[in-house]
Amino acid sequence: MTTQIKKRPRVPVHGVLLLDKPVGFSSNDALIKAKRFLSAMKGGHTGTLDPFATGLLPLCFGEATKFSQDLLEADKTYTTVVHLGITTTTGDTEGEILEQKTVDVTLSSIEQVLKQFIGPIRQVPPMYSALKRDGKPLYEYARAGVTLEREARDVVIHELELLSFATPLLTLKVKCSKGTYVRVLGEDIGAALGCGAHLKELRRVQVGHLVLEKSITLESLESMSEQERLALLDPVDALLSSFPSLRLSDELAIRFLHGQRLALGREAIVLPEHLGRVRVYRDTDGQLLGSAQLQEFQILAPERLIKTQ
């Protein structure tokens, strides 16, 4: 007689988990595993990390998923090891070797080349990427041996720091805008040095204001009790902490949660100095109500609303 293992029921879980994604896991695989550990009903990740990459993967659960787009738009910081002299089909260790060249570069030449990539640059997205063409990811075309034309995209490399160089390995710290492919950056640096390159390692250390130091591994998460896991979650407003806050009376909070635009000019409310995005709370209990845009003439326009108790 076969004994069936009873699955734990899914429950409403709200908050943000900072995960240190291991190598070999897709972002979705890591999300599914963490979601199961938390018995969470709803969850999503905030920007894909390639399976060969490791590091910070913020996971949003419940009401926090409404604000995950903000991290997709945020700047990212990585450390990466660029292997000079070898190019691969994927631009990283998962591809087949295309070409090998002798590495004959100096520290001075590396520093000069890196300067060329700081600031606004244009990148051609790689074929091995999740970008879609006619509803199908580019990597599916690539695996079938098909190469499609791709338009170059504007990205910004805010910082490009040389951490170490020991032939043929170049270790860099990269702070970049959304949409940047560090694999392509590594390949382009190798091309500019005349020897080609691919990424040997890639580790994400920061997303917006969230940092890797506060993350946890799947292995550690698995060893914890359910209460310990839930205690790790940052509150929903952790994703909004870079925006100024605004507090509403109970009456205004009700109207706000109904999606009404509020004229705050005559209300006894402390308003932020500048117009733009704000996080909104109910004053009596500190409950997060959602995000909004503070517009001209002290008009508050609701943006994304939280289900409150």
Side-chain angles (χ1 to χ4, degrees):
M1 185 175 178
T2 304
T3 303
Q4 289 189 336
I5 299 173
K6 190 176 181 180
K7 291 184 178 179
R8 287 186 298 177
R10 300 287 179 172
V11 296
V13 173
H14 307 289
V16 181
L17 179 71
L18 303 186
L19 185 71
D20 184 351
K21 188 191 84 65
V23 69
F25 276 71
S26 72
S27 294
N28 198 52
D29 289 340
L31 169 64
I32 290 171
K33 199 151 190 171
K35 190 177 173 183
R36 187 171 72 246
F37 290 151
L38 291 165
S39 302
M41 294 176 66
K42 182 180 180 182
H45 62 72
T46 56
T48 303
L49 268 180
D50 292 333
F52 98 101
T54 65
L56 183 59
L57 182 66
L59 302 179
C60 297
F61 297 97
E63 292 297 287
T65 59
K66 294 178 178 178
F67 305 101
S68 59
Q69 183 65 33
D70 298 293
L71 289 188
L72 292 173
E73 304 286 329
D75 291 339
K76 317 287 193 304
T77 303
Y78 302 85
T79 57
T80 184
V81 178
V82 182
H83 191 142
L84 300 178
I86 299 177
T87 56
T88 71
T89 52
T90 58
D92 57 38
T93 57
E94 297 192 320
E96 298 176 2
I97 293 176
L98 289 173
E99 189 177 18
Q100 297 190 54
K101 289 185 178 181
T102 301
V103 178
D104 184 19
V105 298
T106 64
L107 192 58
S108 176
S109 63
I110 291 171
E111 290 172 342
Q112 288 302 312
V113 163
L114 293 184
K115 289 177 183 178
Q116 301 172 21
F117 291 93
I118 298 174
I121 64 171
R122 291 177 66 77
Q123 279 192 339
V124 176
M127 279 301 301
Y128 282 90
S129 68
L131 288 178
K132 290 187 176 180
R133 181 76 61 86
D134 297 327
K136 190 161 72 171
L138 289 181
Y139 63 75
E140 290 190 13
Y141 292 100
R143 288 170 182 168
V146 177
T147 301
L148 302 176
E149 288 291 323
R150 288 98 65 205
E151 288 188 12
R153 305 196 305 183
D154 294 318
V155 297
V156 180
I157 308 299
H158 299 292
E159 298 175 17
L160 186 54
E161 181 183 353
L162 175 61
L163 299 179
S164 68
F165 174 55
T167 309
L169 302 180
L170 186 64
T171 304
L172 304 172
K173 181 178 180 182
V174 183
K175 182 178 180 182
C176 53
S177 67
K178 67 168 185 173
T180 302
Y181 287 94
V182 183
R183 277 183 292 144
V184 174
L185 178 63
E187 289 179 309
D188 290 345
I189 289 170
L193 289 168
C195 59
H198 72 280
L199 291 198
K200 180 176 174 20
E201 296 175 15
L202 180 63
R203 187 158 175 76
R204 190 157 66 190
V205 297
Q206 189 164 348
V207 177
H209 63 282
L210 305 177
V211 294
L212 180 63
E213 287 80 4
K214 295 185 178 180
S215 66
I216 189 167
T217 64
L218 283 174
E219 187 178 16
S220 296
L221 200 63
E222 186 173 16
S223 67
M224 293 179 170
S225 69
E226 189 170 343
Q227 286 304 113
E228 288 173 327
R229 292 167 186 163
L230 292 173
L232 286 172
L233 291 175
D234 286 331
V236 173
D237 60 358
L239 300 180
L240 301 171
S241 61
S242 60
F243 300 105
S245 64
L246 187 152
R247 292 178 174 269
L248 299 178
S249 66
D250 287 356
E251 180 184 346
L252 290 175
I254 291 171
R255 292 171 57 193
F256 179 83
L257 289 172
H258 281 99
Q260 296 181 22
R261 290 160 57 91
L262 304 177
L264 301 180
R266 295 182 179 178
E267 304 292 340
I269 294 175
V270 178
L271 298 177
E273 291 183 13
H274 304 288
L275 302 180
R277 197 162 191 219
V278 295
R279 48 196 164 110
V280 182
Y281 298 85
R282 186 163 50 212
D283 192 38
T284 50
D285 59 2
Q287 168 72 51
L288 176 70
L289 305 178
S291 63
Q293 290 289 333
L294 184 61
Q295 301 173 340
E296 286 187 313
F297 309 112
Q298 299 176 325
I299 300 296
L300 187 68
E303 197 176 50
R304 298 179 193 135
L305 305 178
I306 290 288
K307 290 182 181 178
T308 59
Q309 297 178 346

